[in-house]
Amino acid sequence: MTGLDKTLGIVSLVCLGAFLYVLGSYALEPDLIIILVIGTVMAGYDFWLELFARKPDNGA
């Protein structure tokens, strides 16, 4: 995993967060905001695991 991969991953997560923030700020339904927050947290956790978690070296 290169530095460029990590940078693009962070940029894309920030763009997703900005898009969902705009969506949530115009549609002020509490249920929708809860779903947006849960989705953002799940995406952030997935990005964290994919980009920064140590992967075992299989010796190949």
Side-chain angles (χ1 to χ4, degrees):
M1 185 89 28
T2 65
L4 179 62
D5 292 335
K6 291 181 180 182
T7 303
L8 289 176
I10 291 170
V11 168
S12 64
L13 187 61
V14 168
C15 289
L16 174 67
F19 171 73
L20 294 179
Y21 174 77
V22 170
L23 180 64
S25 66
Y26 282 110
L28 296 176
E29 295 293 324
D31 295 339
L32 177 63
I33 293 172
I34 291 170
I35 296 299
L36 292 176
V37 169
I38 290 171
T40 304
V41 169
M42 288 173 53
Y45 181 70
D46 183 50
F47 271 90
W48 178 262
L49 288 180
E50 189 64 34
L51 295 177
F52 298 107
R54 290 267 231 189
K55 294 184 177 78
D57 186 20
N58 60 5

